[in-house]
Amino acid sequence: MRANGARLSTPPLSEPRPVSGSETPAITCQNVWQVFGNDADSALKEVLANHPSPDDAAGELRSKGLIPAVQNASFQVQEGELFVIMGLSGSGKSTLIRCISHLLHATGGEIRIDGENIVEASAKRLIELRRKKLGMVFQHFGLFPHMTVAENVAYPLRVQGVKKKQRQAKAEEVINLVGLRGRENHYPRELSGGQRQRVGIARSLVADCSVWFLDEPFSALDPLIRRQLQDEFLEIQAKLKTTIVFITHDINEALKLADRIAIMRDGRIVQIGTPADIVLRPVDDYVREFSKDVAKGRHARVASVMETGAGLAYGADDPGLRQDMTLDAALARCMELYEPVPVRSPEGNVVGVVNPADLAAALQVEQG
Amino acid sequence: MAFLTKGSVAALIAAAAGALCLLLESSLPWLVKFPAAWVLPATDWAGAAMEWLLALIKPTARGFSALMFYPMEAANYVLSNTPWPLVICATAALAWILGGVRMALMALVGLGFVLASGYWPESMNTLALVAVSVPLALIIGGGIGILANEYPRVRKPVQALLDIMQTVPTFAYLTPLLVLFGFGPVVGLIASAIYAAPPMARNVLLGLERVEPEIKEAAIMAGGTRLQQLFQCEIPSAGQQIMVGVNQCLMAALSMVIIAAVIGGFDDIGWEVLLTMRKAQFGQSLLAGLVIVIFAILIDRMSGTLTQDRREKHDPRIAWGILAVGAAASAVFWGHIQQPGAYALFNPVADSVDRGLSAFTTANADVLTAFKNNVLFYVLLPLRIGLDQAVLPFTWGFSWTPMMSLGLFATGAAAGAVFALRGQLALGVMLLIAAGMLETGISQLPWPFVLIGAGALAWVAGGRGLAIMTVALLATILVSGLWERALLSLYLSGAAVFACTVMGGAIGLVSAVSPAVWRVVHPICDMLQTIPLFVFLIPVLMVFQIGEFSAFLAIIAYAIVPMIRYTRHGLVSTPEEMIEAATASGATKWQMLKDIRAPYAAPSILLGLNQTILYAFAMLVIAALIGTTGLGQSIYLALGQADVGLGISAGAAMAILALIADRMVQGFAEERRKALGL
């Protein structure tokens, strides 16, 4: 968790969500390993006993022909926090979320949800947890092709034995929440990709989960629909305030949604931090490469580039900067100090004037 | 050796083995004919072991048989005592629900024909057997499929078992069943359930395996128990594939019920075909065969609608209406309804077919006999016993001399050398081997050559494991004393497969090039694949009488379909980008076919060949009814004599041949697919 050590003194991009007073984090992962291959359990135990360093242990496992898909992952997610795990395909992010939701049995380590170690939970307890506490959204939606929208959404209630009328009422409620009113009796094949994922979201919400897993929920959608759904997702989250683990391979999506981001590479978590941390203080070239294409002006705040200390000199102009302004906004303010400047043709004749403040404003991306 | 390809090495080894056998033939006669003294009484052992085993489970079996008697009687009673208007209308109502007006009309016309043919009671008896055996097969097959899905560890053994169950010829397990259950319809019932369960099991397993992982995960995350996940999410999601299984299960059951008629004891439609065939009443037999075909088509098309992705909804009120009409008609005309068996409207037609047929055969006797004899004397016989024995003054007009043998080998060697010099050594050597085989005849090939040659071929197709398996399995046939019969089977099915490959390939090619041709060929293929095996025998028998030639034709008629289908499919399914790239490069239509489509289609065509081989083996056994030699005949004889040992070993030998051919062709197909990166 070296990233946390280097945590900036600046506030995160979004307002910190109200975190309830309880002491136990919603999710705790402690030294989680997921190893694929024959006899992975005993192999991992043996390797860990001989190699204290996780990297050495992973190397040893690989040399034995096993695949350490997740290596020694440790982090905590607070209640109500939106925690994004980001990485390229094959980095182990989907495996990790499947460990936490116990679709895969973690080979090693401890995963606690509200303090309860689910790695050791019984099959019966797991079913109970999934019915009451956990919800999941899948990349390719995972809708049941033989059920209508309403039946799909109500399915988690059906397995619990909730009466038909009751579950229909509840399903209708979440269907309205995701904006699918009127499509209750359609089959998944009759819906567009965006609508299908709305069904997936509604289904994961119907049982009032408190921990919500989203595995690349918007990756299969085209960019316009993706942005629309991201915004609606944030609205839903603002209403429900559930704890969220969100997987994505898209750095912009991660930065837009996350309270904190964990970046994974080759099965390891290489950095955990707020969006600003990731953009401005990448721990290595790998993370830097990610944030290269990101418009830093939108994610970084003035505080992250300002110098502090006593006796710092400054000029007479004061454009009115505040430390929590984005760089884009601060730049625009500074530019307002300039007079309009000339613009010339190739021959050197003045063809017009431009106001520097307009230049800065033109660079800014409208925030949805 | 480093510059030789695997294929060339194998071909050279086989050629060397063959040459050695030919050279030593005179001094070491045991090389050609496997000495009887070396034969183990495996047939007797198998018989003894089976009889012991059968005796052990006989009481259970007889108990089961007694138990099955009740549902069978019940189904029989219901079907034969329900007034025919009601049965026809109920079927039409069901057809309406499944497929709308067209399907309902098909049911009406089809069953109307059955009624008019006078074979109604027999048909209902057959249907009663199917009605009991299919649920049995669905439950067994579905259960096996689900269990194999739940316990991955048993998946491999189950799949191997299913492979065997489907390669063992149908007649072969009738014999032990006969001993177990005694004469009677229950044997047909059990046999058809056994025969029909594997396709169901296969499709259930396939469907469950193919359910999207995220659907399975969604069911888990919804908090379902394993049973809830399975029955509420996975099985319904796999519904279409499972329905394919149901469709195949129905067709297999019908086919087997009809085949099981050979053991007799039940007055069903298959028996009727057999009886009329034996009496040489071909018009009647054709009529009964048509009734079977109608049932096959109705069952296939009706259950086929269940496998469709998006089915139209058809108003159930109309179905109720049709049913009501049937009930009303039955009630109103209760006293006037004839016994359904009394309608024999087509008998005059059948009789005139008979007369026309005999007139036709007498009128064209010369042409037909000439055709038959030409194929027999100039193609089949040389293949079977070799040119050196088949060429006689009586048929060919001259006798075969050693000089001619020498000439044949020289021609083979010269042609081979041309290919070898062009860099295709394997092909060249294979030409030489072919010359040798033509000289000797397939049924008289020296056994060491067959073992080594097959082993070498298997090595090329699937590596060392397959080679060892091939040699070991062939050796068991050798020592069990079924070798000669196995070679006879190999010869006939080989000849038929070769004919199918050439003709089917050509038809497939033309169908791929011309959509107009495919529009004609397609329904014929559909038809041929729907017809139960048995029915193929009728027309060939009508024209060419009993004998090897008729069997040959029946096998071709049945086994040619996959070759046509897969060849065409492979040729037309070339990806669009490849076609566009070739067009952009300026390829003509034929260049495109030769350089782009054909190589891409190779794996698909090989799979077609594989199916054709399996079909040919399946038909070979049925064709034993109209006169073939070899293993098929042994199996059929064993059935007649209730000789379990012979039935089992001959069936096993047949299955071994089919299995080896299957694995080899699959190996080649796999190799092609890998080479193409598919």
Side-chain angles (χ1 to χ4, degrees), chain A residues 154-171:
Chain A
Y155 184 70
L157 299 176
R158 180 173 153 201
V159 295
Q160 297 183 33
V162 175
K163 290 272 171 309
K164 193 164 187 186
K165 256 214 173 109
Q166 234 175 315
R167 64 181 196 239
Q168 271 173 342
K170 178 70 191 174

Side-chain angles (χ1 to χ4, degrees), chain B residues 359-380:
Chain B
F360 174 78
T361 40
T362 6
N364 297 289
D366 294 342
V367 183
L368 290 175
T369 321
F371 177 52
K372 182 171 160 181
N373 287 347
N374 279 333
V375 176
L376 267 180
F377 290 141
Y378 299 116
V379 182
L380 291 180

Side-chain angles (χ1 to χ4, degrees), chain B residues 169 171 485 489 617 620-625 628-638 650 654:
Chain B
F171 275 169
R485 277 169 271 185
S489 295
F617 274 115
L620 189 63
V621 183
I622 308 294
L625 279 176
T628 58
T629 45
L631 291 173
Q633 190 191 31
S634 302
I635 295 171
Y636 187 52
L637 284 179
M654 200 84 188

Side-chain angles (χ1 to χ4, degrees), chain B residues 10 13 70 82 99 121 155 168 195 224 227 236 242 298 301 305 311 317-318 333 432 449 480 494 527 534 576 619:
Chain B
I13 292 174
Y70 296 105
T82 310
R155 211 171 289 174
V168 173
Y195 185 64
L227 284 180
I242 293 175
L298 276 183
R301 300 298 183 269
T305 58
R311 286 166 45 209
R317 279 173 302 185
I318 294 194
F333 299 107
L432 188 61
F449 166 73
S480 67
M527 183 80 162
F534 210 45
E576 205 53 41
M619 192 64 189

Side-chain angles (χ1 to χ4, degrees), chain B residues 1-10 12 425-426 429 459:
Chain B
M1 291 263 269
F3 60 93
L4 289 179
T5 60
K6 213 174 175 183
S8 319
V9 175
L12 284 175
L425 185 57
V429 180
W459 179 61

Side-chain angles (χ1 to χ4, degrees), chain A residues 71-207:
Chain A
Q71 302 155 26
N72 206 44
S74 297
F75 59 87
Q76 295 183 341
V77 183
Q78 302 302 323
E79 210 177 308
E81 188 178 15
L82 203 170
F83 187 79
V84 172
I85 302 174
M86 205 211 69
L88 300 180
S89 55
S91 62
K93 54 190 194 306
S94 282
T95 310
L96 180 56
I97 202 177
R98 279 170 174 71
C99 286
I100 309 174
S101 59
H102 208 287
L103 285 169
L104 287 170
H105 183 84
T107 321
E110 221 178 72
I111 299 165
R112 295 186 175 276
I113 291 180
D114 290 336
E116 178 180 357
N117 186 356
I118 61 147
V119 178
E120 280 159 16
S122 68
K124 202 173 155 211
R125 175 65 189 148
L126 276 171
I127 288 178
E128 206 173 317
L129 273 173
R130 288 180 178 130
R131 287 180 178 180
K132 304 287 179 208
K133 230 179 218 176
L134 313 179
M136 186 154 175
V137 180
F138 299 90
Q139 181 177 2
H140 301 291
F141 325 130
L143 301 182
F144 307 124
H146 57 287
M147 297 186 194
T148 62
V149 167
E151 285 166 348
N152 258 292
V153 171
Y155 184 70
L157 299 176
R158 180 173 153 201
V159 295
Q160 297 183 33
V162 175
K163 290 272 171 309
K164 193 164 187 186
K165 256 214 173 109
Q166 234 175 315
R167 64 181 196 239
Q168 271 173 342
K170 178 70 191 174
E172 199 157 317
E173 202 177 290
V174 276
I175 287 172
N176 292 342
L177 180 70
V178 298
L180 277 181
R181 190 197 295 270
R183 309 222 175 243
E184 287 86 349
N185 294 323
H186 286 56
Y187 281 90
R189 58 167 186 267
E190 299 164 344
L191 302 178
S192 68
Q195 288 170 331
R196 288 185 202 185
Q197 195 55 296
R198 285 166 205 263
V199 180
I201 289 173
R203 184 178 60 190
S204 69
L205 290 175
V206 77

